[in-house]
């Protein structure tokens, strides 16, 4: 199958909607990362997503909606907490898990009784959903296990010849996937950190929320994941990455005689002798989120074998960056603090 990579013009958005209504797949831009979309009410179409990505069958998908009316096609029992979060953060990079609605395709929920839903803020994503007239199931548009795509060219590199169409909407603003919160147990639980922070969610709900262990730790053998996606290897470039915790001075000394790449902040690069790939500014977690996945892809493109990464903070938006980097590094961490 030939893949057309086209700009997100009005005509191309209409063509995308026609393909989606006919059960085909289209990669679309969102404000977080590019998504690989199919009609969430069409089981055969959704199954094609798993095939194109090589995604494990037991990993459920997020359904994307363009209006609150569409929400009931995906989930039911929309609690006051869900209404509150929708009002405050939608359209935007927040995904909520709620009991699933009847009509949502089985393949979307991967056998669970819950479904996940989000209203993206990217104008192209919203326009495609509206034109298709159905909720769109869409995981990140990468091959399963590789870094999420933040440009249409990243999608093309992974899914060329596997899908008919990629809509190019430029590079993604946020750069890491949406925050995922589960609202199906008594106390809400953060399953995946993102641009909407735990602190913002607690402020909005006026209560403390739990954080899944899988955010910061590898699951133990036989441990059941609250979110199936968390048990898989993720975001892994070909390079062997190790995260280095500690001051810049300690890092500089540690990498000095190593034949390895540095994955560092932009302030660091001029002070290091190693080849460097930068991911944002030490002072600006949003810029780190925005750059992380493209930096991981750049390391591969430059043939990096061993990489030492500066460590992001573990709060606010930086927690999302830390969570993704930890998986990219298969949890390898060196602590140079005291
Ligand atoms: O920003 C995003 O969320 C992007 C864009 C395209 O919207 N999408 C995305 O989808 O990151 P994906 O499939 O790569 O990640 C969805 C995550 C997975 O970890 C999955 O296991 C979890 O959400 N998830 C989905 N439905 C779930 C459910 N019912 N219960 C628990 N976890 C769920
Ligand atoms: Mg993904």
């Amino acid at each position: 199958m030939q893949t057309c990579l086209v700009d997100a013009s009005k005509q191309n958005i209409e063509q995308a909607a026609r393909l989606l209504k006919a059960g085909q797949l289209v990669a679309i831009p969102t404000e977080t990362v590019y998504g690989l979309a199919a009609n969430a009410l069409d089981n055969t179409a959704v199954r094609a997503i798993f095939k194109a990505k090589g995604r494990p069958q037991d990993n459920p998908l997020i359904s994307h909606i363009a209006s609150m009316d569409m929400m009931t096609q995906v989930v039911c029992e929309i609690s006051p907490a869900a209404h509150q979060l929708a009002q405050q953060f939608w359209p935007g990079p927040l995904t909520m898990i709620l009991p699933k609605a009847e009509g949502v395709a089985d393949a979307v929920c991967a056998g669970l009784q819950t479904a996940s839903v989000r209203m993206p803020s990217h104008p192209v994503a919203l326009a495609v959903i509206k034109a298709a007239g159905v909720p769109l199931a869409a995981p990140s548009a990468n091959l399963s296990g590789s870094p999420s795509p933040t440009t249409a060219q990243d999608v093309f590199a992974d899914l060329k010849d596997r899908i008919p169409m990629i809509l190019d909407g430029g590079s993604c603003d946020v750069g890491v996937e949406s925050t995922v919160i589960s609202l199906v147990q008594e106390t809400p639980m953060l399953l995946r950190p993102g641009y909407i922070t735990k602190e913002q969610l607690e402020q909005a709900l006026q209560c403390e929320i739990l954080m899944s262990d899988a955010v910061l730790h590898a699951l133990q053998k036989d441990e059941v994941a609250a979110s199936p996606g968390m048990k898989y290897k993720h975001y892994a470039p070909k390079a062997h990455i190790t995260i280095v915790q500690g001051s810049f001075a300690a890092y500089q000394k540690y990498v000095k005689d190593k034949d390895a790449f540095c994955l560092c902040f932009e302030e660091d690069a001029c002070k290091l002798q190693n080849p460097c790939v930068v991911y944002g500014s030490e002072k600006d977690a949003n810029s780190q989120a925005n750059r992380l996945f493209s930096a991981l892809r750049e390391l591969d493109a430059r043939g990096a074998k061993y990489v030492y990464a500066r460590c992001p903070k573990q709060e606010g938006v930086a927690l999302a960056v830390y969570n993704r980097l930890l998986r990219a590094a298969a949890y390898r961490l060196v602590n140079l603090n005291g």
Side-chain angles (χ1 to χ4, degrees):
M1 176 188 311
Q2 213 190 339
T3 303
C4 319
L5 196 172
V6 294
D7 62 39
S9 65
K10 197 162 172 281
Q11 276 113 320
N12 289 335
I13 288 172
E14 281 162 12
Q15 174 61 9
R18 274 194 292 276
L19 287 168
L20 289 162
K21 282 193 268 193
Q24 305 261 7
L25 308 183
V26 177
I28 59 170
T30 85
E31 73 279 24
T32 56
V33 300
Y34 275 72
L36 179 57
N39 177 356
L41 311 180
D42 177 342
N43 206 46
T44 313
V46 173
R47 283 170 61 168
I49 294 179
F50 288 83
K51 184 150 181 266
K53 274 183 63 93
R55 183 179 175 102
Q57 299 278 344
D58 67 346
N59 194 4
L61 307 178
I62 298 169
S63 296
H64 297 69
I65 57 172
S67 66
M68 289 306 284
D69 287 345
M70 257 188 194
M71 191 169 177
T72 49
Q73 293 184 278
V74 181
V75 291
C76 58
E77 296 172 42
I78 302 167
S79 59
H83 277 291
Q84 175 66 32
L85 294 181
Q87 202 197 0
Q88 200 156 334
F89 298 110
W90 279 358
L94 178 70
T95 296
M96 294 187 236
I97 295 178
L98 289 161
K100 81 185 223 14
E102 281 280 300
V104 61
D106 286 340
V108 171
C109 306
L112 300 174
Q113 290 309 308
T114 56
S116 54
V117 62
R118 120 172 161 89
M119 190 189 293
S121 64
H122 196 294
V124 174
L126 288 171
V128 175
I129 303 165
K130 278 191 194 132
V134 287
L136 297 179
S140 48
N142 50 295
L143 284 175
S144 201
S146 75
S148 293
T150 54
T151 65
Q153 289 69 31
D154 292 344
V155 179
F156 192 78
D158 274 18
L159 299 181
K160 174 168 64 84
D161 301 334
R162 290 170 180 250
I163 59 172
M165 189 180 204
I166 302 168
L167 280 180
D168 188 350
S171 66
C172 301
D173 281 345
V174 175
V176 292
E177 307 86 341
S178 61
T179 306
V180 179
I181 185 170
S182 172
L183 298 173
V184 290
Q185 58 274 73
E186 209 166 285
T187 311
M189 185 185 271
L190 182 73
L191 299 184
R192 181 172 73 181
Y195 183 78
I196 308 290
T197 64
K198 180 165 181 275
E199 296 78 11
Q200 283 177 292
L201 294 167
E202 287 178 331
Q203 178 79 36
L205 295 177
Q206 288 292 298
C207 72
E208 235 184 279
I209 62 175
L210 304 170
M211 187 165 84
S212 164
D213 281 348
V215 170
L216 291 176
H217 306 284
L219 287 174
Q220 302 302 306
K221 212 168 159 258
D222 302 330
E223 195 177 341
V224 177
S227 182
M230 290 191 288
K231 71 178 183 242
Y232 295 108
K233 190 170 166 216
H234 256 106
Y235 319 116
K238 294 180 193 81
H240 179 283
I241 301 183
T242 305
I243 303 173
V244 181
Q245 269 175 321
S247 68
F248 176 71
Y251 174 84
Q252 193 179 28
K253 202 166 148 214
Y254 186 78
V255 297
K256 191 162 174 277
D257 296 313
K258 293 194 165 62
D259 178 17
F261 274 69
C262 290
L263 176 58
C264 60
F265 300 123
E266 59 202 28
E267 299 86 336
D268 308 336
C270 61
K271 301 176 208 142
L272 296 162
Q273 250 96 66
N274 311 54
C276 292
V277 171
V278 301
Y279 76 105
S281 162
E282 182 162 17
K283 294 183 219 79
D284 178 6
N286 292 347
S287 73
Q288 295 164 23
N290 183 267
R291 288 280 297 132
L292 180 70
F293 288 138
S294 58
L296 294 177
R297 283 178 183 260
E298 186 182 336
L299 285 166
D300 275 353
R302 290 174 61 180
K305 289 203 174 58
Y306 288 90
V307 177
Y308 292 92
R310 292 233 37 217
C311 188
K313 292 215 171 76
Q314 289 170 37
E315 63 193 31
V317 177
L319 179 66
V321 180
Y322 180 72
N323 167 271
R324 306 313 190 272
L325 188 55
L326 203 55
R327 282 168 170 67
Y331 300 93
R332 278 181 296 270
L333 204 75
V334 174
N335 190 347
L336 303 179
N337 280 320

